[in-house]
Amino acid sequence: MDYETIDADSFGRSLRGIGLNLLVRDVRAECAFLETVFGLKSHQVTAGFAIVTYGDQVFQLHSDGTYHSNPLLGLVPETPPRGGGIEIHLYDTDPDEAAERARSAGAVVLQEPTDKPHGLRETYILCENGYAWVASRPKDG
């Protein structure tokens, strides 16, 4: 699928399974963060919307303004963290490299890269919208 040219109706009809749609204050800034720190790809980026891909996974970003008539907007806190309680795992991302890029970009590293008992090495990185992005890979050995 060509995410750069697909129209909204065709894109909507193509979605299956579980979807992720993140409400953010600034779509362009969130896309830049995701590209810089995690290497994600952003498509059709506007002030109000973007399609984001991670490997063959796809999700969406929407700005607050696009949710003017959506009942969810009234539940979003004015101060971070908006995403409190959710972890967005990126299982094919090197946590050491992501933490280094996050620090260089001025993002908050909530937890330094750590070997976990469940077999993964992970780092928790907080974006400016309060979502916890977890770069994860199987630990060595």
Side-chain angles (χ1 to χ4, degrees), residues 19-54:
L20 179 64
N21 183 21
L22 299 180
L23 189 59
V24 299
R25 291 179 187 90
D26 185 329
V27 171
R28 288 184 176 101
E30 188 72 10
C31 287
F33 166 79
L34 295 172
E35 290 170 1
T36 299
V37 177
F38 303 109
L40 276 64
K41 304 290 183 211
S42 301
H43 311 272
Q44 296 194 34
V45 179
T46 67
F49 173 78
I51 298 169
V52 182
T53 55
Y54 178 69

Side-chain angles (χ1 to χ4, degrees), residues 1 9 12 17 53 70 72 96 98 117 131 140:
M1 178 175 310
D9 182 72
T53 55
N70 188 299
L72 180 62
D96 295 283
Y131 297 106
D140 294 332

